[in-house]
Amino acid sequence: MILYTTVPLEQLYPTDQSDYQKQITIPCEAGSLMVEQQGDGDYRIIRLLSSDPHAYLNPAYEPGTILSSTLRY
């Protein structure tokens, strides 16, 4: 079966609930960032939550970008 959809695979085929417990939402200048805590204390951006279309063009908010845990949010 082939699914033609814009829905992320994570929503179609959910993973273990413990994976979601590592995710938090933090405020940023453009809106909010959903991040996942890494083993070393840093955070990896999962997605940007913003109503500003220009914020999605900012490479600083790109999914997969690692944020240092020394930054204050």
Side-chain angles (χ1 to χ4, degrees):
M1 176 172 58
I2 298 174
L3 296 176
Y4 295 99
T5 179
T6 58
V7 177
L9 288 177
E10 296 86 16
Q11 290 181 355
L12 293 174
Y13 304 108
T15 58
D16 188 27
Q17 189 64 25
S18 64
D19 292 339
Y20 295 110
Q21 293 174 347
K22 295 185 285 184
Q23 297 178 359
I24 60 171
T25 303
I26 58 172
C28 68
E29 291 178 4
S32 297
L33 290 172
M34 183 175 289
V35 296
E36 179 179 46
Q37 189 169 13
Q38 303 295 298
D40 57 358
D42 291 344
Y43 294 94
R44 182 177 59 87
I45 296 176
I46 298 173
R47 68 176 48 107
L48 171 65
L49 307 166
S50 176
S51 59
D52 179 14
H54 294 286
Y56 291 93
L57 299 175
N58 188 342
Y61 302 131
E62 185 175 315
T65 302
I66 302 295
L67 302 174
S68 175
S69 62
T70 59
L71 296 174
R72 186 169 188 110
Y73 300 106

Short mmCIF file of all heavy atoms in Angstrom, two decimals:
data_model
loop_
_atom_site.label_atom_id
_atom_site.label_comp_id
_atom_site.label_asym_id
_atom_site.label_seq_id
_atom_site.Cartn_x
_atom_site.Cartn_y
_atom_site.Cartn_z
N MET A 1 0.83 -1.17 0.00
CA MET A 1 0.00 0.00 0.00
C MET A 1 0.89 1.24 0.00
O MET A 1 1.87 1.31 0.71
CB MET A 1 -0.90 0.00 1.24
CG MET A 1 -1.72 1.24 1.36
SD MET A 1 -2.98 1.24 2.65
CE MET A 1 -2.07 0.94 4.12
N ILE A 2 0.53 2.23 -0.79
CA ILE A 2 1.26 3.49 -0.88
C ILE A 2 0.37 4.59 -0.33
O ILE A 2 -0.79 4.71 -0.70
CB ILE A 2 1.64 3.81 -2.34
CG1 ILE A 2 2.56 2.73 -2.89
CG2 ILE A 2 2.30 5.18 -2.43
CD1 ILE A 2 2.87 2.88 -4.36
N LEU A 3 0.94 5.37 0.57
CA LEU A 3 0.22 6.50 1.14
C LEU A 3 0.77 7.80 0.55
O LEU A 3 1.95 8.08 0.65
CB LEU A 3 0.39 6.54 2.66
CG LEU A 3 -0.19 5.37 3.44
CD1 LEU A 3 0.16 5.51 4.91
CD2 LEU A 3 -1.68 5.29 3.25
N TYR A 4 -0.08 8.57 -0.07
CA TYR A 4 0.28 9.89 -0.57
C TYR A 4 -0.28 10.92 0.41
O TYR A 4 -1.46 11.24 0.39
CB TYR A 4 -0.30 10.12 -1.97
CG TYR A 4 0.26 9.18 -3.01
CD1 TYR A 4 -0.42 8.04 -3.39
CD2 TYR A 4 1.51 9.44 -3.57
CE1 TYR A 4 0.11 7.18 -4.34
CE2 TYR A 4 2.04 8.59 -4.51
CZ TYR A 4 1.34 7.46 -4.89
OH TYR A 4 1.87 6.62 -5.82
N THR A 5 0.59 11.41 1.27
CA THR A 5 0.13 12.30 2.32
C THR A 5 1.23 13.27 2.71
O THR A 5 2.41 13.01 2.49
CB THR A 5 -0.33 11.49 3.56
OG1 THR A 5 -0.75 12.40 4.57
CG2 THR A 5 0.79 10.62 4.09
N THR A 6 0.84 14.40 3.27
CA THR A 6 1.81 15.37 3.79
C THR A 6 2.02 15.19 5.29
O THR A 6 2.81 15.91 5.88
CB THR A 6 1.33 16.80 3.52
OG1 THR A 6 0.05 16.99 4.13
CG2 THR A 6 1.24 17.07 2.03
N VAL A 7 1.33 14.24 5.89
CA VAL A 7 1.45 13.99 7.32
C VAL A 7 2.79 13.31 7.58
O VAL A 7 3.16 12.37 6.87
CB VAL A 7 0.29 13.09 7.81
CG1 VAL A 7 0.44 12.75 9.27
CG2 VAL A 7 -1.05 13.77 7.54
N PRO A 8 3.57 13.77 8.58
CA PRO A 8 4.86 13.14 8.87
C PRO A 8 4.70 11.67 9.24
O PRO A 8 3.69 11.26 9.84
CB PRO A 8 5.39 13.93 10.07
CG PRO A 8 4.61 15.19 10.08
CD PRO A 8 3.30 14.91 9.45
N LEU A 9 5.70 10.88 8.91
CA LEU A 9 5.65 9.45 9.20
C LEU A 9 5.53 9.17 10.69
O LEU A 9 4.97 8.16 11.10
CB LEU A 9 6.90 8.75 8.64
CG LEU A 9 6.96 8.62 7.12
CD1 LEU A 9 8.27 7.97 6.71
CD2 LEU A 9 5.79 7.83 6.61
N GLU A 10 6.07 10.07 11.53
CA GLU A 10 6.00 9.88 12.97
C GLU A 10 4.55 9.86 13.46
O GLU A 10 4.24 9.24 14.45
CB GLU A 10 6.77 10.98 13.72
CG GLU A 10 8.25 10.98 13.45
CD GLU A 10 8.62 11.77 12.21
OE1 GLU A 10 7.81 12.56 11.70
OE2 GLU A 10 9.74 11.55 11.71
N GLN A 11 3.67 10.58 12.76
CA GLN A 11 2.27 10.59 13.16
C GLN A 11 1.52 9.39 12.59
O GLN A 11 0.58 8.89 13.20
CB GLN A 11 1.60 11.89 12.70
CG GLN A 11 2.07 13.09 13.46
CD GLN A 11 1.38 14.37 13.00
OE1 GLN A 11 0.62 14.37 12.05
NE2 GLN A 11 1.67 15.46 13.69
N LEU A 12 1.93 8.92 11.43
CA LEU A 12 1.27 7.75 10.85
C LEU A 12 1.68 6.46 11.55
O LEU A 12 0.87 5.57 11.76
CB LEU A 12 1.61 7.64 9.36
CG LEU A 12 1.05 8.73 8.47
CD1 LEU A 12 1.57 8.58 7.05
CD2 LEU A 12 -0.47 8.70 8.48
N TYR A 13 2.96 6.36 11.86
CA TYR A 13 3.50 5.17 12.52
C TYR A 13 4.19 5.61 13.81
O TYR A 13 5.40 5.80 13.85
CB TYR A 13 4.50 4.47 11.61
CG TYR A 13 3.93 4.11 10.27
CD1 TYR A 13 4.31 4.80 9.13
CD2 TYR A 13 3.00 3.09 10.15
CE1 TYR A 13 3.77 4.48 7.90
CE2 TYR A 13 2.46 2.76 8.92
CZ TYR A 13 2.86 3.45 7.80
OH TYR A 13 2.33 3.13 6.58
N PRO A 14 3.42 5.81 14.86
CA PRO A 14 4.01 6.34 16.10
C PRO A 14 5.05 5.38 16.71
O PRO A 14 4.92 4.17 16.60
CB PRO A 14 2.81 6.51 17.03
CG PRO A 14 1.71 5.74 16.43
CD PRO A 14 2.02 5.55 14.99
N THR A 15 6.04 5.99 17.33
CA THR A 15 7.08 5.22 17.99
C THR A 15 6.71 5.01 19.46
O THR A 15 5.63 5.38 19.90
CB THR A 15 8.43 5.95 17.89
OG1 THR A 15 8.30 7.24 18.48
CG2 THR A 15 8.87 6.11 16.46
N ASP A 16 7.63 4.46 20.19
CA ASP A 16 7.42 4.20 21.61
C ASP A 16 7.18 5.50 22.37
O ASP A 16 7.77 6.53 22.07
CB ASP A 16 8.65 3.48 22.17
CG ASP A 16 8.44 2.99 23.58
OD1 ASP A 16 7.29 2.73 23.96
OD2 ASP A 16 9.45 2.85 24.30
N GLN A 17 6.31 5.48 23.34
CA GLN A 17 5.94 6.68 24.11
C GLN A 17 7.14 7.30 24.82
O GLN A 17 7.20 8.51 25.02
CB GLN A 17 4.84 6.34 25.12
CG GLN A 17 4.25 7.54 25.81
CD GLN A 17 3.52 8.48 24.86
OE1 GLN A 17 3.05 8.09 23.81
NE2 GLN A 17 3.44 9.73 25.23
N SER A 18 8.14 6.50 25.19
CA SER A 18 9.31 7.04 25.89
C SER A 18 10.12 7.98 25.00
O SER A 18 10.82 8.86 25.49
CB SER A 18 10.20 5.90 26.39
OG SER A 18 10.72 5.17 25.29
N ASP A 19 10.03 7.82 23.68
CA ASP A 19 10.71 8.74 22.77
C ASP A 19 10.13 10.14 22.85
O ASP A 19 10.84 11.13 22.68
CB ASP A 19 10.63 8.24 21.33
CG ASP A 19 11.41 6.96 21.11
OD1 ASP A 19 12.32 6.68 21.91
OD2 ASP A 19 11.11 6.26 20.13
N TYR A 20 8.84 10.25 23.10
CA TYR A 20 8.19 11.55 23.19
C TYR A 20 8.43 12.24 24.52
O TYR A 20 8.27 13.45 24.64
CB TYR A 20 6.68 11.42 22.95
CG TYR A 20 6.35 10.96 21.55
CD1 TYR A 20 5.84 9.70 21.32
CD2 TYR A 20 6.57 11.80 20.47
CE1 TYR A 20 5.54 9.28 20.03
CE2 TYR A 20 6.28 11.39 19.18
CZ TYR A 20 5.77 10.13 18.97
OH TYR A 20 5.47 9.73 17.69
N GLN A 21 8.82 11.50 25.53
CA GLN A 21 9.06 12.09 26.85
C GLN A 21 10.34 12.92 26.86
O GLN A 21 10.52 13.76 27.74
CB GLN A 21 9.11 11.01 27.91
CG GLN A 21 7.77 10.34 28.11
CD GLN A 21 7.83 9.16 29.07
OE1 GLN A 21 8.90 8.69 29.40
NE2 GLN A 21 6.67 8.71 29.50
N LYS A 22 11.22 12.72 25.90
CA LYS A 22 12.45 13.50 25.81
C LYS A 22 12.24 14.82 25.08
O LYS A 22 13.13 15.64 25.01
CB LYS A 22 13.53 12.69 25.09
CG LYS A 22 13.98 11.46 25.84
CD LYS A 22 15.12 10.78 25.15
CE LYS A 22 14.63 10.03 23.93
NZ LYS A 22 15.69 9.26 23.25
N GLN A 23 11.05 15.04 24.51
CA GLN A 23 10.77 16.24 23.74
C GLN A 23 10.16 17.32 24.61
O GLN A 23 9.31 17.04 25.44
CB GLN A 23 9.81 15.92 22.59
CG GLN A 23 10.36 14.96 21.58
CD GLN A 23 9.37 14.62 20.51
OE1 GLN A 23 8.24 15.09 20.51
NE2 GLN A 23 9.79 13.81 19.56
N ILE A 24 10.64 18.56 24.39
CA ILE A 24 10.08 19.71 25.09
C ILE A 24 9.91 20.84 24.09
O ILE A 24 10.51 20.83 23.01
CB ILE A 24 10.96 20.17 26.27
CG1 ILE A 24 12.36 20.58 25.79
CG2 ILE A 24 11.04 19.12 27.35
CD1 ILE A 24 13.20 21.25 26.85
N THR A 25 9.09 21.81 24.43
CA THR A 25 8.89 22.99 23.61
C THR A 25 9.50 24.18 24.33
O THR A 25 9.22 24.41 25.51
CB THR A 25 7.39 23.24 23.37
OG1 THR A 25 6.84 22.06 22.77
CG2 THR A 25 7.17 24.41 22.45
N ILE A 26 10.37 24.91 23.63
CA ILE A 26 11.02 26.07 24.22
C ILE A 26 10.69 27.30 23.38
O ILE A 26 10.52 27.20 22.17
CB ILE A 26 12.55 25.88 24.33
CG1 ILE A 26 13.17 25.62 22.96
CG2 ILE A 26 12.90 24.78 25.30
CD1 ILE A 26 14.68 25.61 22.96
N PRO A 27 10.59 28.46 24.00
CA PRO A 27 10.31 29.69 23.24
C PRO A 27 11.56 30.17 22.50
O PRO A 27 12.69 29.94 22.94
CB PRO A 27 9.90 30.69 24.32
CG PRO A 27 10.51 30.18 25.57
CD PRO A 27 10.61 28.68 25.44
N CYS A 28 11.35 30.81 21.36
CA CYS A 28 12.43 31.44 20.62
C CYS A 28 11.88 32.73 20.01
O CYS A 28 10.71 33.04 20.16
CB CYS A 28 12.98 30.50 19.54
SG CYS A 28 11.85 30.16 18.20
N GLU A 29 12.73 33.49 19.34
CA GLU A 29 12.31 34.77 18.77
C GLU A 29 11.20 34.61 17.74
O GLU A 29 10.33 35.46 17.62
CB GLU A 29 13.50 35.47 18.12
CG GLU A 29 14.54 35.94 19.10
CD GLU A 29 15.73 36.57 18.40
OE1 GLU A 29 15.69 36.71 17.16
OE2 GLU A 29 16.67 36.94 19.09
N ALA A 30 11.21 33.51 17.01
CA ALA A 30 10.25 33.31 15.92
C ALA A 30 8.96 32.65 16.39
O ALA A 30 7.99 32.60 15.64
CB ALA A 30 10.89 32.47 14.83
N GLY A 31 8.93 32.12 17.59
CA GLY A 31 7.75 31.41 18.09
C GLY A 31 8.16 30.40 19.13
O GLY A 31 8.56 30.75 20.23
N SER A 32 8.10 29.12 18.76
CA SER A 32 8.51 28.04 19.67
C SER A 32 9.26 26.98 18.87
O SER A 32 9.00 26.77 17.69
CB SER A 32 7.29 27.40 20.33
OG SER A 32 6.61 28.31 21.13
N LEU A 33 10.16 26.30 19.57
CA LEU A 33 10.89 25.19 18.98
C LEU A 33 10.56 23.92 19.74
O LEU A 33 10.59 23.91 20.97
CB LEU A 33 12.40 25.41 19.06
CG LEU A 33 13.00 26.49 18.18
CD1 LEU A 33 14.47 26.70 18.54
CD2 LEU A 33 12.87 26.13 16.72
N MET A 34 10.26 22.86 19.02
CA MET A 34 10.13 21.55 19.65
C MET A 34 11.50 20.90 19.53
O MET A 34 12.03 20.76 18.42
CB MET A 34 9.07 20.69 18.97
CG MET A 34 8.88 19.36 19.67
SD MET A 34 7.55 18.39 18.97
CE MET A 34 6.15 19.36 19.54
N VAL A 35 12.09 20.56 20.67
CA VAL A 35 13.44 20.02 20.69
C VAL A 35 13.45 18.69 21.43
O VAL A 35 12.55 18.40 22.22
CB VAL A 35 14.44 21.00 21.35
CG1 VAL A 35 14.56 22.27 20.54
CG2 VAL A 35 14.05 21.32 22.77
N GLU A 36 14.49 17.91 21.18
CA GLU A 36 14.67 16.63 21.84
C GLU A 36 16.01 16.65 22.55
O GLU A 36 17.02 17.01 21.95
CB GLU A 36 14.64 15.50 20.81
CG GLU A 36 14.83 14.13 21.39
CD GLU A 36 14.76 13.07 20.31
OE1 GLU A 36 15.37 13.24 19.25
OE2 GLU A 36 14.07 12.07 20.55
N GLN A 37 16.01 16.27 23.81
CA GLN A 37 17.25 16.28 24.58
C GLN A 37 18.12 15.12 24.15
O GLN A 37 17.66 13.98 24.03
CB GLN A 37 16.97 16.21 26.07
CG GLN A 37 18.20 16.42 26.90
CD GLN A 37 17.89 16.60 28.37
OE1 GLN A 37 16.79 16.35 28.80
NE2 GLN A 37 18.86 17.04 29.12
N GLN A 38 19.39 15.41 23.91
CA GLN A 38 20.37 14.41 23.52
C GLN A 38 21.05 13.85 24.77
O GLN A 38 20.88 14.38 25.86
CB GLN A 38 21.41 15.02 22.57
CG GLN A 38 20.82 15.63 21.32
CD GLN A 38 20.17 14.60 20.43
OE1 GLN A 38 20.82 13.70 19.94
NE2 GLN A 38 18.87 14.74 20.25
N GLY A 39 21.84 12.84 24.61
CA GLY A 39 22.50 12.20 25.75
C GLY A 39 23.50 13.08 26.46
O GLY A 39 23.73 12.96 27.65
N ASP A 40 24.13 14.01 25.73
CA ASP A 40 25.15 14.87 26.33
C ASP A 40 24.58 16.15 26.91
O ASP A 40 25.32 17.02 27.34
CB ASP A 40 26.23 15.19 25.30
CG ASP A 40 25.67 15.85 24.04
OD1 ASP A 40 24.44 16.02 23.97
OD2 ASP A 40 26.46 16.18 23.16
N GLY A 41 23.26 16.29 26.93
CA GLY A 41 22.63 17.48 27.50
C GLY A 41 22.28 18.53 26.48
O GLY A 41 21.58 19.49 26.79
N ASP A 42 22.78 18.39 25.24
CA ASP A 42 22.41 19.33 24.18
C ASP A 42 21.01 19.00 23.68
O ASP A 42 20.43 17.98 24.03
CB ASP A 42 23.41 19.25 23.03
CG ASP A 42 24.77 19.81 23.41
OD1 ASP A 42 24.86 20.52 24.43
OD2 ASP A 42 25.75 19.52 22.70
N TYR A 43 20.48 19.89 22.85
CA TYR A 43 19.14 19.70 22.30
C TYR A 43 19.20 19.70 20.78
O TYR A 43 19.93 20.47 20.18
CB TYR A 43 18.19 20.82 22.77
CG TYR A 43 17.95 20.79 24.25
CD1 TYR A 43 18.71 21.54 25.12
CD2 TYR A 43 16.94 19.99 24.77
CE1 TYR A 43 18.48 21.51 26.48
CE2 TYR A 43 16.70 19.95 26.14
CZ TYR A 43 17.47 20.71 26.98
OH TYR A 43 17.24 20.67 28.33
N ARG A 44 18.39 18.85 20.14
CA ARG A 44 18.29 18.78 18.68
C ARG A 44 16.91 19.29 18.29
O ARG A 44 15.90 18.87 18.83
CB ARG A 44 18.46 17.34 18.20
CG ARG A 44 18.41 17.19 16.68
CD ARG A 44 18.66 15.76 16.26
NE ARG A 44 17.68 14.84 16.82
CZ ARG A 44 16.50 14.56 16.26
NH1 ARG A 44 16.15 15.13 15.13
NH2 ARG A 44 15.67 13.70 16.83
N ILE A 45 16.88 20.23 17.34
CA ILE A 45 15.60 20.80 16.89
C ILE A 45 14.83 19.75 16.10
O ILE A 45 15.36 19.13 15.17
CB ILE A 45 15.83 22.05 16.02
CG1 ILE A 45 16.50 23.16 16.84
CG2 ILE A 45 14.51 22.54 15.43
CD1 ILE A 45 16.84 24.40 16.05
N ILE A 46 13.57 19.57 16.47
CA ILE A 46 12.68 18.67 15.75
C ILE A 46 11.82 19.46 14.77
O ILE A 46 11.70 19.11 13.61
CB ILE A 46 11.78 17.87 16.72
CG1 ILE A 46 12.66 17.01 17.62
CG2 ILE A 46 10.78 17.04 15.97
CD1 ILE A 46 11.91 16.33 18.71
N ARG A 47 11.21 20.54 15.27
CA ARG A 47 10.39 21.38 14.38
C ARG A 47 10.22 22.77 14.97
O ARG A 47 10.37 22.98 16.17
CB ARG A 47 9.04 20.75 14.11
CG ARG A 47 8.11 20.67 15.28
CD ARG A 47 6.75 20.11 14.88
NE ARG A 47 6.85 18.92 14.08
CZ ARG A 47 6.57 17.68 14.51
NH1 ARG A 47 6.16 17.50 15.73
NH2 ARG A 47 6.70 16.66 13.72
N LEU A 48 9.92 23.70 14.08
CA LEU A 48 9.63 25.08 14.44
C LEU A 48 8.13 25.26 14.44
O LEU A 48 7.44 24.80 13.52
CB LEU A 48 10.28 26.03 13.44
CG LEU A 48 9.91 27.51 13.52
CD1 LEU A 48 10.39 28.11 14.84
CD2 LEU A 48 10.48 28.26 12.34
N LEU A 49 7.61 25.92 15.45
CA LEU A 49 6.18 26.23 15.54
C LEU A 49 6.06 27.75 15.50
O LEU A 49 6.37 28.43 16.47
CB LEU A 49 5.59 25.67 16.84
CG LEU A 49 5.84 24.18 17.08
CD1 LEU A 49 5.52 23.82 18.50
CD2 LEU A 49 5.02 23.38 16.12
N SER A 50 5.64 28.28 14.34
CA SER A 50 5.59 29.72 14.16
C SER A 50 4.51 30.08 13.16
O SER A 50 4.21 29.32 12.24
CB SER A 50 6.94 30.24 13.68
OG SER A 50 6.88 31.62 13.42
N SER A 51 3.95 31.27 13.32
CA SER A 51 2.99 31.77 12.35
C SER A 51 3.65 32.69 11.33
O SER A 51 3.00 33.17 10.41
CB SER A 51 1.86 32.52 13.06
OG SER A 51 2.39 33.59 13.80
N ASP A 52 4.95 32.94 11.49
CA ASP A 52 5.70 33.79 10.57
C ASP A 52 6.34 32.93 9.48
O ASP A 52 7.24 32.14 9.76
CB ASP A 52 6.78 34.55 11.33
CG ASP A 52 7.62 35.44 10.44
OD1 ASP A 52 7.23 35.69 9.29
OD2 ASP A 52 8.68 35.89 10.92
N PRO A 53 5.92 33.06 8.22
CA PRO A 53 6.47 32.22 7.16
C PRO A 53 7.97 32.44 6.93
O PRO A 53 8.67 31.52 6.53
CB PRO A 53 5.69 32.61 5.91
CG PRO A 53 4.64 33.55 6.33
CD PRO A 53 4.85 33.92 7.74
N HIS A 54 8.46 33.64 7.22
CA HIS A 54 9.88 33.92 7.02
C HIS A 54 10.76 33.19 8.04
O HIS A 54 11.93 32.93 7.78
CB HIS A 54 10.15 35.42 7.08
CG HIS A 54 9.53 36.16 5.95
ND1 HIS A 54 10.01 36.13 4.67
CD2 HIS A 54 8.42 36.95 5.91
CE1 HIS A 54 9.25 36.86 3.89
NE2 HIS A 54 8.27 37.37 4.61
N ALA A 55 10.21 32.84 9.18
CA ALA A 55 10.99 32.12 10.20
C ALA A 55 11.43 30.75 9.70
O ALA A 55 12.50 30.26 10.07
CB ALA A 55 10.18 31.98 11.48
N TYR A 56 10.65 30.14 8.82
CA TYR A 56 10.98 28.81 8.31
C TYR A 56 12.15 28.85 7.33
O TYR A 56 12.72 27.81 7.01
CB TYR A 56 9.75 28.18 7.65
CG TYR A 56 8.70 27.83 8.67
CD1 TYR A 56 7.68 28.72 8.97
CD2 TYR A 56 8.73 26.62 9.36
CE1 TYR A 56 6.71 28.42 9.92
CE2 TYR A 56 7.78 26.31 10.31
CZ TYR A 56 6.77 27.22 10.58
OH TYR A 56 5.83 26.91 11.53
N LEU A 57 12.51 30.03 6.85
CA LEU A 57 13.66 30.18 5.95
C LEU A 57 14.95 30.41 6.72
O LEU A 57 16.03 30.39 6.12
CB LEU A 57 13.41 31.33 4.98
CG LEU A 57 12.20 31.16 4.06
CD1 LEU A 57 12.00 32.42 3.23
CD2 LEU A 57 12.36 29.95 3.18
N ASN A 58 14.88 30.63 8.01
CA ASN A 58 16.05 30.89 8.84
C ASN A 58 16.78 29.58 9.11
O ASN A 58 16.22 28.67 9.73
CB ASN A 58 15.63 31.55 10.15
CG ASN A 58 16.82 32.02 10.96
OD1 ASN A 58 17.94 31.61 10.75
ND2 ASN A 58 16.55 32.91 11.90
N PRO A 59 18.04 29.44 8.67
CA PRO A 59 18.77 28.18 8.88
C PRO A 59 19.04 27.86 10.36
O PRO A 59 19.31 26.72 10.70
CB PRO A 59 20.07 28.37 8.11
CG PRO A 59 20.16 29.81 7.79
CD PRO A 59 18.81 30.41 7.90
N ALA A 60 18.91 28.85 11.23
CA ALA A 60 19.13 28.60 12.66
C ALA A 60 18.03 27.73 13.25
O ALA A 60 18.23 27.08 14.27
CB ALA A 60 19.20 29.92 13.42
N TYR A 61 16.86 27.69 12.61
CA TYR A 61 15.73 26.91 13.11
C TYR A 61 15.52 25.62 12.31
O TYR A 61 14.48 25.00 12.40
CB TYR A 61 14.45 27.74 13.07
CG TYR A 61 14.54 29.02 13.86
CD1 TYR A 61 14.15 30.23 13.29
CD2 TYR A 61 15.00 29.03 15.16
CE1 TYR A 61 14.22 31.42 14.01
CE2 TYR A 61 15.08 30.21 15.88
CZ TYR A 61 14.69 31.39 15.30
OH TYR A 61 14.76 32.56 16.03
N GLU A 62 16.51 25.23 11.54
CA GLU A 62 16.40 24.04 10.69
C GLU A 62 16.34 22.76 11.53
O GLU A 62 17.12 22.60 12.48
CB GLU A 62 17.61 23.99 9.77
CG GLU A 62 17.61 22.90 8.76
CD GLU A 62 18.79 23.01 7.82
OE1 GLU A 62 19.07 24.13 7.36
OE2 GLU A 62 19.43 22.00 7.58
N PRO A 63 15.42 21.85 11.22
CA PRO A 63 15.36 20.58 11.97
C PRO A 63 16.69 19.83 11.88
O PRO A 63 17.33 19.78 10.83
CB PRO A 63 14.25 19.81 11.27
CG PRO A 63 13.39 20.86 10.66
CD PRO A 63 14.33 21.96 10.26
N GLY A 64 17.09 19.28 13.00
CA GLY A 64 18.36 18.57 13.07
C GLY A 64 19.50 19.40 13.63
O GLY A 64 20.55 18.87 14.00
N THR A 65 19.31 20.71 13.71
CA THR A 65 20.33 21.60 14.26
C THR A 65 20.49 21.33 15.75
O THR A 65 19.52 21.17 16.47
CB THR A 65 19.95 23.07 14.04
OG1 THR A 65 19.78 23.30 12.64
CG2 THR A 65 21.01 24.02 14.59
N ILE A 66 21.73 21.25 16.20
CA ILE A 66 22.02 21.00 17.61
C ILE A 66 22.17 22.33 18.34
O ILE A 66 22.91 23.21 17.91
CB ILE A 66 23.30 20.17 17.78
CG1 ILE A 66 23.18 18.84 17.01
CG2 ILE A 66 23.64 19.94 19.24
CD1 ILE A 66 22.13 17.91 17.55
N LEU A 67 21.43 22.47 19.44
CA LEU A 67 21.54 23.65 20.30
C LEU A 67 22.35 23.28 21.52
O LEU A 67 22.09 22.25 22.16
CB LEU A 67 20.15 24.13 20.72
CG LEU A 67 19.17 24.48 19.62
CD1 LEU A 67 17.82 24.80 20.19
CD2 LEU A 67 19.70 25.67 18.83
N SER A 68 23.30 24.11 21.87
CA SER A 68 24.14 23.83 23.04
C SER A 68 23.33 23.97 24.32
O SER A 68 22.49 24.86 24.45
CB SER A 68 25.32 24.80 23.05
OG SER A 68 26.08 24.64 24.21
N SER A 69 23.58 23.12 25.27
CA SER A 69 22.85 23.17 26.56
C SER A 69 23.31 24.34 27.40
O SER A 69 22.66 24.67 28.38
CB SER A 69 23.05 21.86 27.32
OG SER A 69 24.42 21.67 27.61
N THR A 70 24.42 24.99 27.01
CA THR A 70 24.90 26.14 27.76
C THR A 70 24.11 27.40 27.43
O THR A 70 24.19 28.38 28.14
CB THR A 70 26.39 26.40 27.50
OG1 THR A 70 26.58 26.62 26.12
CG2 THR A 70 27.22 25.22 27.98
N LEU A 71 23.34 27.37 26.33
CA LEU A 71 22.49 28.51 25.97
C LEU A 71 21.32 28.58 26.93
O LEU A 71 20.79 27.58 27.37
CB LEU A 71 21.98 28.38 24.54
CG LEU A 71 23.01 28.39 23.44
CD1 LEU A 71 22.35 28.11 22.10
CD2 LEU A 71 23.74 29.71 23.39
N ARG A 72 20.89 29.77 27.23
CA ARG A 72 19.76 29.95 28.13
C ARG A 72 18.52 30.25 27.30
O ARG A 72 18.49 31.15 26.50
CB ARG A 72 20.04 31.09 29.09
CG ARG A 72 18.96 31.22 30.12
CD ARG A 72 19.41 32.16 31.21
NE ARG A 72 18.43 32.08 32.24
CZ ARG A 72 18.63 31.53 33.41
NH1 ARG A 72 19.79 31.02 33.68
NH2 ARG A 72 17.68 31.50 34.31
N TYR A 73 17.44 29.50 27.51
CA TYR A 73 16.21 29.67 26.74
C TYR A 73 15.16 30.32 27.56
O TYR A 73 14.77 30.06 28.57
CB TYR A 73 15.72 28.31 26.23
CG TYR A 73 16.74 27.65 25.35
CD1 TYR A 73 17.46 26.57 25.80
CD2 TYR A 73 16.98 28.15 24.08
CE1 TYR A 73 18.40 25.98 25.00
CE2 TYR A 73 17.91 27.55 23.28
CZ TYR A 73 18.62 26.47 23.74
OH TYR A 73 19.55 25.89 22.93
#
